[in-house]
Amino acid sequence: MTRRLILSYVLLAAFVLVIVELPLGLTYAARAQDRLLADIERDARVLAGLVEERVESGDGAAVATIAEESRGRVVVTDPEGIGLVDTDRPDDPPRDFSTRPEIAAALAGTQATGIRRSDTLDEELAYVAVPISSDGRLNGVVRVSFPTEEVREQVRDNWLRLGLLSVLVLAGAASLGWLVARWATGPVEQLEDGARRLADGDLSGRAEVEHGPPELQHLAIT
């Protein structure tokens, strides 16, 4: 009986934890990802506005100076998708970025936002690519990308905190179940002992039940 009571308390606590903590963990992960993309989008839009005139005039040095202020990797291309600036590879010759899906979307005039794994860098990146345009004419693209590892670590830490909380709650539920079981089953054991003594012919046998449910105390007196 003691084991069944403890198990019932632990299962009830686990059920409540799943209902409460699972949505909390998933919501935290989604919001952390949304915050990262929102920050990158803001940086990309600001950069697009700052480098617009420099890209139009072909001032690559000025574009590179502005792009270096961003925390993430910045790629700025011309209207053909040829790289003007790549903050991760500043000394490399110009590369063709037009085959990148997000660059191609931005060259078509559509902002591209998402998360994908880079086989070249062997890491997951969050990116935003925005078109650079003025007077209805496309002058190029700004893409800002940032590794998601920091956000993933925050999400993992949050899951670990929730897991630790679950362990503490389940341990508390097990302890409470044990206390309730002792409170409920202790008098039953005392009744069994008294009944056994009477069955053995000891008419002086009594069931000393001083604690526990009132029904069991009344039964002991009877």
CSV table of all heavy atoms in Angstrom, one decimal, residues 20 31 37 41 48 59 78 81 103 118 130 133 143 150-151 159 177 183 186 188 190 200 213:
chain,number,residue,atom,x,y,z
A,20,VAL,N,2.6,21.5,-17.4
A,20,VAL,CA,3.1,22.9,-17.2
A,20,VAL,C,4.4,23.2,-17.8
A,20,VAL,O,4.6,24.2,-18.5
A,20,VAL,CB,3.2,23.1,-15.7
A,20,VAL,CG1,3.8,24.5,-15.4
A,20,VAL,CG2,1.8,23.1,-15.0
A,31,ARG,N,10.5,31.7,-28.5
A,31,ARG,CA,10.8,33.1,-28.3
A,31,ARG,C,12.2,33.5,-28.4
A,31,ARG,O,12.6,34.6,-28.9
A,31,ARG,CB,10.2,33.6,-26.9
A,31,ARG,CG,8.7,33.6,-26.8
A,31,ARG,CD,8.2,34.1,-25.5
A,31,ARG,NE,6.7,34.2,-25.5
A,31,ARG,CZ,6.0,34.5,-24.5
A,31,ARG,NH1,6.6,34.8,-23.3
A,31,ARG,NH2,4.7,34.6,-24.5
A,37,LEU,N,16.2,36.3,-34.5
A,37,LEU,CA,15.9,36.7,-35.9
A,37,LEU,C,15.4,38.1,-35.9
A,37,LEU,O,15.8,38.8,-36.9
A,37,LEU,CB,14.8,35.8,-36.4
A,37,LEU,CG,15.2,34.3,-36.7
A,37,LEU,CD1,13.9,33.5,-37.1
A,37,LEU,CD2,16.2,34.3,-37.9
A,41,GLU,N,17.3,40.9,-38.1
A,41,GLU,CA,16.5,41.7,-39.1
A,41,GLU,C,16.7,43.2,-38.9
A,41,GLU,O,16.9,43.9,-39.8
A,41,GLU,CB,15.0,41.3,-39.0
A,41,GLU,CG,14.2,42.1,-40.0
A,41,GLU,CD,12.7,41.7,-39.9
A,41,GLU,OE1,12.4,40.8,-39.1
A,41,GLU,OE2,11.9,42.4,-40.5
A,48,ALA,N,21.3,48.1,-44.4
A,48,ALA,CA,20.9,48.4,-45.8
A,48,ALA,C,20.7,49.9,-46.0
A,48,ALA,O,21.1,50.4,-47.1
A,48,ALA,CB,19.6,47.6,-46.1
A,59,ASP,N,31.5,52.4,-53.5
A,59,ASP,CA,32.5,52.6,-52.5
A,59,ASP,C,32.6,51.4,-51.6
A,59,ASP,O,32.1,51.4,-50.5
A,59,ASP,CB,32.2,53.9,-51.8
A,59,ASP,CG,33.3,54.3,-50.8
A,59,ASP,OD1,34.3,53.6,-50.7
A,59,ASP,OD2,33.2,55.4,-50.2
A,78,ASP,N,26.4,43.2,-55.1
A,78,ASP,CA,25.8,44.1,-56.1
A,78,ASP,C,24.5,43.6,-56.6
A,78,ASP,O,24.1,42.5,-56.2
A,78,ASP,CB,26.9,44.3,-57.1
A,78,ASP,CG,27.2,43.0,-57.9
A,78,ASP,OD1,26.5,42.1,-57.8
A,78,ASP,OD2,28.2,43.0,-58.7
A,81,GLY,N,24.5,39.9,-57.5
A,81,GLY,CA,24.8,38.9,-56.4
A,81,GLY,C,26.2,38.6,-56.2
A,81,GLY,O,26.6,37.7,-55.5
A,103,ILE,N,19.9,35.0,-50.8
A,103,ILE,CA,20.4,36.1,-51.6
A,103,ILE,C,19.5,36.1,-52.9
A,103,ILE,O,19.1,37.3,-53.3
A,103,ILE,CB,21.9,35.8,-52.0
A,103,ILE,CG1,22.7,35.8,-50.7
A,103,ILE,CG2,22.3,36.9,-53.0
A,103,ILE,CD1,22.9,37.1,-50.0
A,118,SER,N,24.9,25.6,-42.3
A,118,SER,CA,25.9,25.9,-43.4
A,118,SER,C,26.9,24.8,-43.5
A,118,SER,O,27.6,24.5,-42.5
A,118,SER,CB,26.7,27.2,-43.0
A,118,SER,OG,27.8,27.4,-43.9
A,130,VAL,N,18.2,41.3,-47.0
A,130,VAL,CA,17.2,42.3,-47.4
A,130,VAL,C,17.8,43.0,-48.6
A,130,VAL,O,19.0,43.2,-48.8
A,130,VAL,CB,17.0,43.4,-46.3
A,130,VAL,CG1,16.4,42.7,-45.0
A,130,VAL,CG2,18.3,44.0,-45.9
A,133,SER,N,17.7,49.0,-52.1
A,133,SER,CA,17.0,49.6,-53.3
A,133,SER,C,16.8,51.1,-53.0
A,133,SER,O,16.7,51.5,-51.9
A,133,SER,CB,15.7,48.9,-53.6
A,133,SER,OG,14.8,49.0,-52.4
A,143,ARG,N,23.1,40.7,-46.4
A,143,ARG,CA,22.7,39.5,-45.6
A,143,ARG,C,23.5,39.6,-44.3
A,143,ARG,O,24.8,39.7,-44.4
A,143,ARG,CB,23.0,38.3,-46.4
A,143,ARG,CG,22.5,37.0,-45.6
A,143,ARG,CD,23.1,35.7,-46.2
A,143,ARG,NE,24.5,35.6,-45.9
A,143,ARG,CZ,25.3,34.6,-46.4
A,143,ARG,NH1,24.7,33.6,-47.1
A,143,ARG,NH2,26.6,34.5,-46.1
A,150,GLU,N,24.7,30.1,-29.4
A,150,GLU,CA,24.5,30.8,-28.1
A,150,GLU,C,23.0,30.7,-27.7
A,150,GLU,O,22.7,30.4,-26.5
A,150,GLU,CB,24.8,32.3,-28.3
A,150,GLU,CG,24.6,33.1,-27.0
A,150,GLU,CD,25.1,34.6,-27.2
A,150,GLU,OE1,25.8,34.9,-28.1
A,150,GLU,OE2,24.7,35.4,-26.3
A,151,VAL,N,22.1,30.8,-28.7
A,151,VAL,CA,20.7,30.7,-28.4
A,151,VAL,C,20.4,29.2,-28.0
A,151,VAL,O,19.6,29.0,-27.1
A,151,VAL,CB,19.8,31.1,-29.6
A,151,VAL,CG1,18.3,30.8,-29.3
A,151,VAL,CG2,19.9,32.6,-29.8
A,159,TRP,N,16.0,24.1,-20.4
A,159,TRP,CA,15.5,22.8,-20.2
A,159,TRP,C,16.2,22.1,-19.0
A,159,TRP,O,15.5,21.3,-18.3
A,159,TRP,CB,15.8,21.9,-21.4
A,159,TRP,CG,14.8,22.2,-22.6
A,159,TRP,CD1,15.1,22.7,-23.8
A,159,TRP,CD2,13.4,21.9,-22.6
A,159,TRP,NE1,14.0,22.8,-24.6
A,159,TRP,CE2,12.9,22.3,-23.9
A,159,TRP,CE3,12.5,21.4,-21.6
A,159,TRP,CZ2,11.6,22.2,-24.2
A,159,TRP,CZ3,11.2,21.3,-22.0
A,159,TRP,CH2,10.7,21.7,-23.2
A,177,GLY,N,4.1,11.5,-0.4
A,177,GLY,CA,3.4,10.2,-0.5
A,177,GLY,C,3.8,9.3,0.6
A,177,GLY,O,3.0,8.6,1.2
A,183,TRP,N,1.2,7.7,7.6
A,183,TRP,CA,0.1,8.2,8.5
A,183,TRP,C,-1.2,7.3,8.3
A,183,TRP,O,-1.9,7.0,9.3
A,183,TRP,CB,-0.3,9.6,8.1
A,183,TRP,CG,-1.5,10.2,8.8
A,183,TRP,CD1,-1.5,10.6,10.1
A,183,TRP,CD2,-2.8,10.4,8.3
A,183,TRP,NE1,-2.8,11.1,10.4
A,183,TRP,CE2,-3.6,10.9,9.3
A,183,TRP,CE3,-3.4,10.1,7.0
A,183,TRP,CZ2,-4.9,11.3,9.1
A,183,TRP,CZ3,-4.7,10.4,6.8
A,183,TRP,CH2,-5.5,11.0,7.9
A,186,GLY,N,0.2,3.1,9.1
A,186,GLY,CA,0.6,2.8,10.4
A,186,GLY,C,-0.5,2.2,11.3
A,186,GLY,O,-0.3,1.2,12.0
A,188,VAL,N,-3.2,0.8,10.4
A,188,VAL,CA,-3.6,-0.6,9.8
A,188,VAL,C,-2.7,-1.6,10.4
A,188,VAL,O,-3.1,-2.7,10.8
A,188,VAL,CB,-3.6,-0.5,8.3
A,188,VAL,CG1,-3.9,-1.9,7.8
A,188,VAL,CG2,-4.6,0.4,7.8
A,190,GLN,N,-1.1,-1.5,13.2
A,190,GLN,CA,-1.4,-1.7,14.6
A,190,GLN,C,-2.6,-2.5,14.8
A,190,GLN,O,-2.7,-3.3,15.7
A,190,GLN,CB,-1.5,-0.3,15.3
A,190,GLN,CG,-0.2,0.4,15.3
A,190,GLN,CD,-0.3,1.9,15.7
A,190,GLN,OE1,-1.4,2.5,15.5
A,190,GLN,NE2,0.7,2.4,16.4
A,200,ASP,N,-4.6,-15.3,18.6
A,200,ASP,CA,-3.7,-16.2,19.3
A,200,ASP,C,-4.2,-16.6,20.7
A,200,ASP,O,-3.5,-17.3,21.5
A,200,ASP,CB,-2.3,-15.7,19.4
A,200,ASP,CG,-1.6,-15.7,18.0
A,200,ASP,OD1,-2.1,-16.4,17.1
A,200,ASP,OD2,-0.7,-14.9,17.8
A,213,PRO,N,-6.3,8.2,10.4
A,213,PRO,CA,-7.7,8.6,10.1
A,213,PRO,C,-8.6,8.3,11.2
A,213,PRO,O,-8.5,7.2,11.9
A,213,PRO,CB,-8.0,7.7,8.9
A,213,PRO,CG,-6.7,7.4,8.3
A,213,PRO,CD,-5.7,7.2,9.4
